């Protein structure tokens, strides 16, 4: 029996951290308001709660318009439709992200082009974008991943130079700001997810934001089964789906948006405390500070693990040991999308992949070393809710990291289900 919980010792943390999501009386009241009326769905379009929330969400992100939709994946797809992405168009996206960033590109029979990430931010590396641009490129789809922003100054400069559109995937960035501008407000459109792990959530849900009325109208038509948009200045009629958000979902978003600034402050304070405790810890690296982020919106707190500084113990064993100490965290949180088991991709299903001189095999044609390093060796993700508690919670995270590192030899060569799971992508793990 060792000192670490994974080898039979006492876990450092025995009580749960703040659970997520949670609701309050304000959500209950808003739900009751929907329940007592007849407007439960997204029709008449848009609903009362969805409209009230959308107006406030737009203001929070410094844009004119917001449209609620039923998932974040749909938000990206509707944004791609808004800029008129057509079959065969190419869209540049980071390799290291959730599969849902690029699924919508393929579902429109367009072609995702993967670009590696910047190791300082784990976001799309602007320095590699220009070499990926071809005559077919129509858009760049940066993801503001984890706790950083893709470099919007450079991405907007490159987009303007090459006449490309920009859609910001803001699934991790609710309330975040870059140089005083809201996440999603700088590109042509921003797409948000309200899936249940996100910083505000309706269980499932999403939103598209933009400053461009024509784009808003296209989004509204597409997600409302092709009907005219609310304003219909541009008379777009698009063959669309019912991707509307229902009023029960919309109702629980408003109170969470009200709480977001206070929660953001708590998270930021707690994260700073964790960083002060982890400074100069061999084996642990912190992401480089970014002064252009003027309001932090960390969906996941991301650190780096350097196994070469810790006697070559692989990340899977470090993370599994930390989990058993009672600290929620994950290593293989994302994979480079082109390697993911959630990306089976039969080219026959996506004809545009076969329209060039040779058929594109997206699973085999890429090698993005920084994405692969982050995915398989280095990144350690902590969920945002564990930073909503007390300073004692943060100290438990830091103490557990130090405890595992101090006793790391105990996990060398260890066989354990938690370690096996850490070598599998989230979709493939044993429960
Ligand atoms: C980076 C990123 N993009 C897109 C999505 C898709 O959002 P949803 O799950 O709401 O469809 C997610 C959410 O899971 C995400 O994390």
């Amino acid at each position: 029996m060792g000192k670490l919980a994974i080898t039979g010792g006492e876990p450092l943390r025995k009580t749960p951290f703040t659970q997520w999501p949670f609701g309050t009386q304000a959500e209950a009241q808003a739900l009751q308001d929907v329940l007592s009326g007849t407007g439960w769905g997204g029709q008449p379009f848009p609903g009362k709660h969805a409209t009230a929330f959308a107006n406030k969400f737009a203001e929070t992100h410094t844009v004119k318009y917001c449209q609620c939709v039923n998932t974040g994946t749909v938000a990206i797809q509707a944004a791609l439709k808004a800029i008129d992405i057509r079959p065969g168009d190419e869209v540049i996206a980071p390799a290291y992200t959730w599969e849902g960033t690029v699924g919508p590109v393929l579902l429109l029979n367009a072609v995702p082009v993967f670009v590696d990430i910047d190791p300082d931010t784990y976001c799309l590396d602007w320095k590699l974008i220009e070499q990926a641009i071809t005559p077919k490129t129509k858009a760049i789809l940066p993801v503001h991943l984890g706790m950083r922003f893709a470099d919007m100054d450079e991405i907007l400069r490159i987009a303007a130079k090459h006449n490309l559109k920009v859609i910001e995937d803001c699934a991790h960035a609710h309330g975040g700001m870059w140089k005083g501008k809201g996440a999603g407000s700088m590109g042509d459109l921003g797409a948000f997810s309200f899936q249940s792990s996100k910083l505000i959530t309706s269980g499932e849900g999403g939103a598209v934001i933009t400053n461009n009325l024509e784009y808003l109208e296209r989004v509204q038509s597409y997600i409302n089964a092709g009907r005219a948009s609310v304003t219909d200045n541009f008379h777009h009629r698009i063959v669309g789906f019912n991707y509307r958000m229902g009023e029960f979902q919309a109702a629980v978003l408003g109170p969470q948006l009200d709480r977001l600034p206070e929660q953001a402050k708590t998270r930021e304070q707690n994260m700073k405390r964790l960083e002060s405790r982890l400074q100069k810890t061999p084996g642990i690296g912190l992401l480089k500070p970014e002064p252009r982020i003027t309001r932090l919106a960390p969906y996941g707190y991301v650190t780096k693990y350097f196994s070469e500084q810790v006697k070559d113990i692989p990340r899977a064993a470090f993370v599994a040991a930390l989990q058993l100490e009672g600290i929620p965290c994950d290593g293989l949180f994302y994979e480079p999308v082109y390697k993911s088991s959630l990306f089976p991709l039969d080219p026959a299903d996506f004809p545009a992949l076969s329209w060039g001189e040779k058929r594109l095999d997206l699973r085999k044609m890429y090698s993005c070393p920084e994405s692969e390093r982050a995915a398989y060796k280095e990144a350690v993700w902590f969920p945002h809710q564990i930073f909503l508690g007390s300073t004692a919670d943060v100290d438990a995270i830091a103490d557990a990291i130090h405890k595992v590192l101090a006793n790391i030899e105990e996990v060398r060569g260890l066989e354990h289900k938690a370690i096996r799971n850490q070598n599998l992508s989230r979709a493939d793990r044993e429960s």
Side-chain angles (χ1 to χ4, degrees):
M1 199 165 102
K3 289 202 174 104
L4 296 180
I6 200 167
T7 50
E10 280 291 301
L12 188 134
R13 169 84 182 198
K14 293 185 188 144
T15 50
F17 289 89
T18 306
Q19 300 293 294
W20 192 266
F22 63 84
T24 66
Q25 203 43 42
E27 280 89 342
Q29 246 170 27
L31 286 170
Q32 187 56 45
D33 181 63
V34 181
L35 198 57
S36 59
T38 53
W40 288 16
Q43 276 275 35
F45 180 82
K48 177 179 99 174
H49 286 273
T51 303
F53 169 76
N55 291 340
K56 213 159 164 187
F57 197 71
E59 196 185 317
T60 303
H61 294 87
T62 68
V63 284
K64 287 190 195 151
Y65 310 113
C66 169
Q67 177 59 52
C68 294
V69 297
N70 63 352
T71 65
T73 323
V74 159
I76 294 171
Q77 189 165 328
L80 292 166
K81 286 297 283 185
I83 58 169
D84 203 21
I85 291 295
R86 302 243 161 164
D89 289 346
E90 290 178 2
V91 177
I92 290 175
Y96 186 56
T97 182
W98 172 240
E99 292 77 357
T101 302
V102 288
V105 177
L106 283 163
L107 290 169
L108 296 180
N109 194 22
V111 178
V113 174
F114 293 111
V115 165
D116 209 352
I117 51 166
D118 177 342
D120 284 340
T121 60
Y122 287 162
C123 295
L124 183 63
D125 188 346
W126 67 267
K127 297 184 283 312
L128 304 175
I129 291 176
E130 281 191 299
Q131 65 201 52
I133 294 174
T134 75
K136 292 186 191 160
T137 310
K138 291 285 154 41
I140 309 173
L141 177 44
V143 182
H144 303 315
L145 195 89
M147 59 193 290
R148 288 287 178 266
F149 270 69
D151 189 330
M152 288 309 292
D153 299 351
E154 296 295 343
I155 289 171
L156 293 174
R157 180 183 63 73
I158 293 167
K161 179 171 156 196
H162 296 274
N163 194 25
L164 305 176
K165 305 283 187 229
V166 176
I167 295 171
E168 297 170 63
D169 180 345
C170 303
H172 296 190
H174 310 68
M177 279 199 170
W178 176 264
K179 291 167 47 175
K181 292 185 181 149
S185 71
M186 295 164 277
D188 294 276
L189 301 109
F192 289 81
S193 162
F194 303 133
Q195 171 270 341
S196 62
S197 69
K198 299 301 187 309
L199 293 171
I200 62 175
T201 174
S202 46
E204 304 292 351
V208 183
I209 64 171
T210 183
N211 278 310
N212 182 314
L213 181 62
E214 184 168 7
Y215 292 158
L216 177 81
E217 291 194 353
R218 288 180 67 93
V219 167
Q220 288 187 336
S221 180
Y222 184 59
I223 63 128
N224 192 19
R227 293 180 176 86
S229 66
V230 175
T231 41
D232 202 24
N233 286 5
F234 294 90
H235 311 295
H236 289 299
R237 297 293 182 277
I238 301 178
V239 175
F241 285 83
N242 173 4
Y243 284 144
R244 297 182 298 259
M245 175 180 274
E247 282 287 274
F248 288 109
Q249 266 79 24
V252 297
L253 288 170
Q256 292 177 75
L257 187 53
D258 293 340
R259 287 199 295 275
L260 186 65
E262 200 187 309
Q263 290 179 339
K265 213 190 275 170
T266 308
R267 281 191 193 97
E268 188 163 358
Q269 274 165 3
N270 281 334
M271 287 172 178
K272 279 195 179 133
R273 183 177 177 92
L274 180 66
E275 299 205 329
S276 71
R277 295 273 328 265
L278 294 180
Q279 290 289 348
K280 303 205 178 83
T281 301
I284 301 295
L286 305 177
L287 292 188
K288 197 171 157 189
E290 174 49 87
R292 289 174 294 177
I293 297 177
T294 48
R295 199 164 64 196
L296 194 66
Y299 164 66
Y301 181 83
V302 184
T303 55
K304 295 182 174 189
Y305 174 72
F306 300 126
S307 62
E308 66 278 11
Q309 296 175 8
V310 204
K311 305 177 184 172
D312 291 323
I313 300 291
R315 182 191 61 186
F318 167 74
V319 168
L322 206 47
Q323 288 172 336
L324 282 247
E325 294 299 332
I327 310 298
C329 59
D330 204 348
L332 193 44
F333 186 70
Y334 287 146
E335 287 188 88
V337 177
Y338 55 84
K339 283 187 166 240
S340 160
S341 64
L342 292 182
F343 199 62
L345 208 73
D346 179 349
D349 293 330
F350 306 101
L353 298 178
S354 308
W355 287 349
E357 277 166 27
K358 59 177 192 243
R359 183 183 262 195
L360 301 177
D361 186 345
L362 299 183
R363 288 184 71 76
K364 297 214 179 104
M365 61 192 272
Y366 287 101
S367 159
C368 295
E370 295 302 339
S371 299
E372 293 185 18
R373 190 201 327 274
Y376 299 113
K377 292 193 165 151
E378 196 176 84
V380 181
W381 290 68
F382 297 86
H384 59 87
Q385 63 269 24
I386 69 175
F387 296 94
L388 282 178
S390 62
T391 51
D393 286 359
V394 186
D395 287 341
I397 304 168
D399 290 344
I401 292 173
H402 287 131
K403 177 182 170 190
V404 171
L405 291 173
N407 298 285
I408 198 86
E409 275 299 342
E410 288 186 16
V411 296
R412 187 181 296 283
L414 188 70
E415 266 290 314
H416 194 286
K417 187 174 116 186
I419 301 177
R420 280 197 303 280
N421 269 342
Q422 273 301 306
N423 283 314
L424 296 171
S425 70
R426 285 188 288 159
D428 300 327
R429 291 177 188 163
E430 282 175 60
S431 51

